[in-house]
Amino acid sequence: MMSNSRTASFDCPICGVGIAEAGVCGGCVTDLGRILRHLAVRLPDLRLLAAKKASVMAREAGHGTRTVAPIPLNANAWQLQQSIEKFAVMLAAALGLPHRRLPAESLLKGAAQRADILMQRKDARYIHRLASIAARRLDRQLEPPESRILIGQCPDCGDDIWSSEADLAAGYQPCACGQTLDLTAVQEQRVLKLAISNARGTAAALSKVFKGCGIAINRLTITQWKRRGIITAVGDQDGRPVFLLWDVWRAYKR
């Protein structure tokens, strides 16, 4: 007599592979551990990339105070470094691990050893997606695609948007997540993150920062805008006028 019983079948919420029990498959658990270790190994290189400072000053918060400090010349690498560090703290907190005063590399390694616990959480899919995007963004920062410029992040998935001159001329570009992005809006969001910090600098310094966002604003053009009364200096540095980054951006977009 044949049995009518059937083995229950479930799909892994991350990769979709069929598994016998509900939850994340073993392959995705292993993959998360590999990704977190990869982030830990490559994060020091990202720190070096973001360490060189530009002569553009911005206000930064810390321990209840706001101080003025130079922003990194490679602001994209610096922001990614901050994002990965916050992600490492989030994982440590989710695991109940101590995280104060510990480097992000140690937190990531500790989380990698407990990938199975992380993948038992209800937000396992979200954690795996954040880790995957962070690793992809880090690798591209350290090994950027040829003839492309990093202009910002996709507002939907958070992945980096690397644009060619043809993409920038067209004004639109598809993201890997399927969204078609308005590149001007992506760049403006990127600039806004710096402007919120009250970023300011000389015409030459701001020109370099904008270039790092894929935006060509010549130093002489900024100086001419001042002469024409389009922008106003908010201070001086070694005898040279200092401007707000946001004022220069508004002049560029007028």
Side-chain angles (χ1 to χ4, degrees):
M1 183 175 179
M2 296 182 62
S3 172
N4 292 326
S5 63
R6 298 180 61 185
T7 302
S9 178
F10 301 89
D11 292 333
C12 172
I14 296 175
C15 69
V17 68
I19 50 181
E21 298 180 356
V24 175
C25 73
C28 287
V29 172
T30 300
D31 189 49
L32 177 65
R34 177 192 61 79
I35 294 172
L36 295 179
R37 287 189 294 272
H38 181 75
L39 288 173
V41 169
R42 304 211 76 181
L43 184 54
D45 292 332
L46 183 66
R47 292 185 196 281
L48 292 175
L49 185 63
K52 188 175 181 180
K53 304 292 183 178
S55 54
V56 172
M57 308 301 287
R59 295 191 180 276
E60 56 182 22
H63 304 292
T65 62
R66 290 179 64 84
T67 58
V68 177
I71 67 171
L73 188 59
N74 190 327
N76 288 308
W78 174 67
Q79 288 181 338
L80 177 57
Q81 174 191 322
Q82 287 191 317
S83 177
I84 293 175
E85 289 173 347
K86 289 178 181 178
F87 179 55
V89 171
M90 182 195 80
L91 294 178
L95 290 165
L97 300 175
H99 54 268
R100 294 184 180 276
R101 299 183 180 179
L102 288 176
E105 290 88 339
S106 297
L107 299 180
L108 290 167
K109 291 177 182 177
Q113 294 174 350
R114 298 164 178 81
D116 57 332
I117 299 175
L118 289 171
M119 291 295 90
Q120 292 173 14
R121 293 173 53 91
K122 292 181 178 180
D123 57 354
R125 184 176 181 180
Y126 178 67
I127 290 173
H128 193 281
R129 182 170 69 85
L130 287 182
S132 299
I133 290 176
R136 184 162 61 249
R137 291 179 63 192
L138 190 155
D139 288 343
R140 288 178 180 172
Q141 278 283 351
L142 299 179
E143 300 162 6
E146 294 183 8
S147 304
R148 288 183 175 271
I149 299 173
L150 174 57
I151 67 167
Q153 286 73 47
C154 172
D156 291 295
C157 71
D159 204 353
D160 285 336
I161 303 302
W162 292 83
S163 302
S164 65
E165 291 185 5
D167 293 325
L168 292 171
Y172 291 88
Q173 181 179 340
C175 178
C177 70
Q179 295 294 324
T180 298
L181 303 176
D182 179 341
L183 298 187
T184 299
V186 172
Q187 288 176 311
E188 186 166 47
Q189 185 63 29
R190 169 74 185 80
V191 171
L192 181 60
K193 289 180 180 179
L194 294 174
I196 288 174
S197 300
N198 203 31
R200 59 185 65 196
T202 64
L206 289 177
S207 178
K208 291 180 180 178
V209 171
F210 279 112
K211 182 179 180 180
C213 302
I215 304 167
I217 304 180
N218 190 279
R219 173 183 62 83
L220 294 178
T221 299
I222 298 175
T223 302
Q224 290 173 0
W225 285 339
K226 176 182 179 295
R227 292 174 180 170
R228 294 164 55 188
I230 297 174
I231 59 176
T232 303
V234 295
D236 67 86
Q237 179 181 328
D238 300 328
R240 294 171 295 176
V242 169
F243 308 97
L244 287 174
L245 178 142
W246 187 247
D247 287 346
V248 174
W249 173 253
R250 288 194 300 176
Y252 174 72
K253 295 298 296 180
R254 77 188 193 285

